[in-house]
Amino acid sequence: MLWQVLEGLSQDSAKRLRFVPGVVFADEGAACGQSPEDRAKTLAEAKLVLQTVGFPWHIVALEEVFSLPPSVLRCSAREPVGTEGAYKAAVDSFLQQHHVLGEEKQSRPCPQHPQGRAGPPTAGQTEALSRLFNSVKTLTAKEELLQTLRTHLILHVARTHGYSKVMTGDSCTRLAVKLMTSLALGRGAFLAWDTGFSDERHGDVVVVRPMREHTLKEVAFYNRLFAVPSVFTPAVDTKAPEKASIHRLMEAFILRLQAQFPSTVSTVYRTSEKLVKAPRDGCAAGTPGPRCLLCMCVLDVDTADSATAFGAQTSSQLPQTQPPVAEAEAPTVSCCHSGMGRAQHCCRMEADPRACDPRACVTAQLCYGCRVNMKDLVSGGPSPAREQAGAGLGLRLRSPGTSGSSLLQPSLDPLPPYILAEAQLRSQRAEAEQEIQERLLEAEDGARPGATSAEQAHEDGARPGATSAEQEGADGL
Amino acid sequence: MAAPLSVQVEFGGGAELLFDGVKKHQVTLPGQEEPWDIRNLLVWIKKNLLKERPELFIRGDSVRPGILVLINDADWELLGELDYQLQDQDSILFISTLHGG
């Protein structure tokens, strides 16, 4: 893809591309268990290629997720789309700029030092990353986590340096595999975003996939015939057996099918083209629902829906996080089911000053696919095979081999701090909103104006530690 | 009786991991009764070059789906796949397009 962009931007191509690109290389060696020497070698090779290309380049290590701000997980509003006139004006000014800089750029070598790199990652960060990935039980969850963290990191780099679009090199074959894998992972609701040409779920930064029409075979041939330099680095699933993860299994399945029926990949691709990004039923136009904490898609879950397997999953999770007393189960289940239209975390007990168990709070802010992932992420005990997730939900109540009263408490510590901080912020804000909502309802019953009751909410804020959150929530409202 | 052949076998896209990281191998195939074709070559590679995890490279008679084979920079499907008869100084390139290895 890089080579094609290079071609497209060159002076003598027929239809010149009109944008200023930069290149990001994410070093994931720590997650894959590579030794520092191997990582250094890969980085050196990558730098060589990047310098040849000549665009401004940024090398980021995956360890930098530990210093990401929580704002990465927030969807920023997009700038208003300009009209035709604005576009032409923008192109003209761009061309003028480029013309002026044109001669300068040719003579000036590309920057020698990488931009935006804070220096090699510290050993502590590398160790924290290794710990995070080692705490993941299944390879599938590892791959998903890696993708999520990588997306966040690249998003952050793009936002910091003012890039409005991120182009990924996903080919037709990879996207076909990704489509089927997403279906298997429970992300069917977001197929259009995950595999479509453009993905605007982050708001200000759009992810586009310009290579999605080329199969891997074409790309490989192109690289070979045009002598495109490439850097090979092992991934988390290198040399893993075929059934080690859902991704591998699906890849093997599709490729094997493709060998016999050469139209497989293109059929899957054409089908994915027909997917439409429709807003959820019931959401008023223009007011998007709450978003998943990790993948930032609009949540596809309904806490009120108790008849589905998902409802069973949510209600079965609650006894896990509290002391397994039989009497406690009944009120928590009803609290969950009666939480229609309320804030997404249904574990909130009325008089409980400890508000929300952190794990349940984080889980409640995730979409279905991310929730299934999270189970493998921070499970304290052995979890049943993922493929039995549908049937085995009831089994998750008690991990095998442990006595009834001592469930292993899973810890969220390995997760990067920005995720936990954002989760806490969201739950506090939701609680504050709910609190104020209740006050308003009470006020309406008593025929008092809404403004006065909001003041009352401020005065009545007797919950320790939550006053600031309430104020913040009120400000936000 | 086929004369000994000298061919260049190359690996790319990660396949070299299975061959000790060495991308280019200049090999001399010994003379034998049947002429050398890709099928025999694969058997020979499995016996002599492949260092580990044969199932990640070879599947049954042929290469694993997802591994491209280029003979003299041309797709092997155009040349008869496994039945292509090797000539002296041919260049066979195996590119892995699989995600993991």
Side-chain angles (χ1 to χ4, degrees):
Chain A
M1 181 179 74
L2 207 47
W3 227 249
Q4 294 219 305
V5 170
L6 200 58
E7 289 257 329
L9 281 173
S10 72
Q11 294 282 357
D12 38 299
S13 68
K15 283 187 186 176
R16 260 188 82 183
L17 296 174
R18 306 251 183 256
F19 53 78
V20 182
V23 188
V24 168
F25 176 77
D27 169 26
E28 298 163 3
C32 310
Q34 264 190 313
S35 70
E37 298 84 31
D38 284 338
R39 286 180 71 184
K41 200 168 93 159
T42 312
L43 276 182
E45 287 176 24
K47 267 188 205 162
L48 211 60
V49 176
L50 290 173
Q51 277 164 353
T52 325
V53 169
F55 299 141
W57 45 273
H58 315 267
I59 293 192
V60 286
L62 197 62
E63 286 89 334
E64 291 179 34
V65 290
F66 287 102
S67 40
L68 283 182
S71 58
V72 159
L73 297 174
R74 285 174 216 151
C75 170
S76 318
R78 264 192 97 177
E79 271 142 42
V81 181
T83 57
E84 269 300 313
Y87 174 70
K88 279 177 96 79
V91 171
D92 283 338
S93 77
F94 174 85
L95 286 175
Q96 273 177 9
Q97 268 180 20
H98 232 64
H99 195 62
V100 168
L101 293 174
E103 283 87 36
E104 287 178 30
K105 258 192 185 170
Q106 311 246 315
S107 52
R108 189 177 46 137
C110 60
Q112 290 301 319
H113 56 90
Q115 303 168 10
R117 181 152 145 93
T122 66
Q125 283 181 323
T126 311
E127 206 212 290
L129 194 69
S130 312
R131 203 164 22 143
L132 170 62
F133 276 89
N134 288 340
S135 72
V136 181
K137 300 298 169 198
T138 60
L139 188 58
T140 309
K142 251 187 226 186
E143 293 195 38
E144 285 291 302
L145 177 67
L146 185 61
Q147 276 181 25
T148 308
L149 292 181
R150 187 198 299 150
T151 311
H152 293 169
L153 194 58
I154 294 183
L155 193 62
H156 178 69
V157 171
R159 278 190 180 145
T160 320
H161 295 273
Y163 291 106
S164 63
K165 294 192 174 46
V166 174
M167 300 204 297
T168 63
D170 295 317
S171 64
C172 186
T173 319
R174 292 266 162 91
L175 283 180
V177 174
K178 188 165 184 191
L179 188 121
M180 303 296 281
T181 313
S182 300
L183 280 173
L185 290 172
R187 293 184 57 84
F190 313 127
L191 284 180
W193 287 271
D194 282 344
T195 58
F197 173 70
S198 77
D199 180 358
E200 319 92 3
R201 70 179 99 154
H202 303 290
D204 53 346
V205 176
V206 181
V207 178
V208 291
R209 303 182 178 98
M211 305 289 286
R212 69 190 290 263
E213 296 184 7
H214 306 295
T215 60
L216 270 179
K217 191 166 176 178
E218 292 172 8
V219 173
F221 272 75
Y222 181 92
N223 286 353
R224 171 73 185 176
L225 295 174
F226 288 84
V228 175
S230 63
V231 176
F232 169 73
T233 153
V236 256
D237 58 351
T238 300
K239 291 205 203 164
E242 203 177 80
K243 301 198 180 134
S245 75
I246 294 186
H247 301 76
R248 300 278 288 149
L249 191 63
M250 205 51 87
E251 181 184 45
F253 170 66
I254 298 248
L255 289 178
R256 208 173 295 172
L257 212 54
Q258 172 80 4
Q260 311 251 336
F261 305 100
S263 60
T264 304
V265 166
S266 48
T267 308
V268 176
Y269 165 68
R270 296 271 164 241
T271 311
S272 80
E273 269 190 328
K274 296 178 190 162
L275 293 170
V276 166
K277 297 170 193 162
R280 268 193 87 199
D281 300 333
C283 275
T287 58
R291 288 180 176 261
C292 172
L293 186 66
L294 290 178
C295 66
M296 282 174 271
C297 291
V298 177
L299 282 181
D300 60 340
V301 297
D302 262 331
T303 48
D305 194 358
S306 58
T308 61
F310 177 72
Q313 181 192 52
T314 325
S315 60
S316 75
Q317 245 183 12
L318 297 174
Q320 255 188 343
T321 60
Q322 278 130 24
V325 180
E327 303 85 66
E329 277 187 40
T332 55
V333 165
S334 64
C335 155
C336 162
H337 290 196
S338 65
M340 296 209 217
R342 289 193 171 187
Q344 291 289 338
H345 53 278
C346 43
C347 57
R348 176 165 169 260
M349 306 280 266
E350 282 304 310
D352 191 350
R354 208 194 43 169
C356 206
D357 173 66
R359 182 167 181 232
C361 269
V362 170
T363 312
Q365 294 174 27
L366 300 177
C367 65
Y368 178 70
C370 293
R371 284 189 201 205
V372 179
N373 241 9
M374 184 63 78
K375 281 211 177 75
D376 287 331
L377 221 58
V378 291
S379 63
S383 58
R386 284 182 75 93
E387 287 72 57
Q388 298 168 18
L393 287 170
L395 296 175
R396 291 191 193 274
L397 271 175
R398 299 276 184 272
S399 37
T402 56
S403 62
S405 61
S406 62
L407 277 178
L408 294 168
Q409 263 304 324
S411 134
L412 287 176
D413 286 341
L415 282 179
Y418 72 98
I419 295 181
L420 301 171
E422 180 69 12
Q424 203 178 9
L425 190 67
R426 286 192 195 184
S427 66
Q428 279 176 353
R429 189 178 290 154
E431 278 172 19
E433 280 179 20
Q434 192 173 348
E435 179 91 8
I436 291 175
Q437 197 74 357
E438 285 169 0
R439 302 278 181 215
L440 286 173
L441 286 171
E442 285 171 12
E444 279 169 22
D445 289 340
R448 291 177 71 186
T452 323
S453 62
E455 282 170 7
Q456 235 190 4
H458 270 275
E459 291 164 19
D460 292 353
R463 295 225 334 262
T467 323
S468 56
E470 275 182 345
Q471 280 178 345
E472 195 196 322
D475 289 344
L477 292 176
Chain B
M1 179 72 184
L5 292 177
S6 172
V7 293
Q8 185 177 344
V9 179
E10 262 188 79
F11 301 99
E16 64 269 20
L17 274 191
L18 301 173
F19 297 88
D20 259 351
V22 180
K23 288 199 176 176
K24 291 196 188 181
H25 302 252
Q26 189 74 31
V27 299
T28 310
L29 302 172
Q32 60 171 30
E33 282 81 31
E34 314 99 41
W36 279 99
D37 57 11
I38 301 285
R39 197 175 276 118
N40 298 346
L41 178 67
L42 286 179
V43 174
W44 189 92
I45 288 179
K46 182 172 176 183
K47 215 166 32 164
N48 299 341
L49 284 183
L50 200 52
K51 297 286 178 252
E52 52 182 324
R53 311 291 299 278
E55 75 275 9
L56 290 184
F57 187 73
I58 296 196
R59 200 169 148 261
D61 219 8
S62 175
V63 289
R64 195 169 161 212
I67 298 193
L68 301 176
V69 185
L70 275 77
I71 304 175
N72 299 329
D73 278 353
D75 192 357
W76 72 333
E77 287 178 24
L78 301 170
L79 300 166
E81 286 200 20
L82 290 170
D83 298 320
Y84 169 76
Q85 305 233 333
L86 290 176
Q87 322 271 332
D88 198 32
Q89 300 306 320
D90 269 350
S91 162
I92 324 283
L93 169 62
F94 296 91
I95 304 183
S96 166
T97 61
L98 299 166
H99 208 129

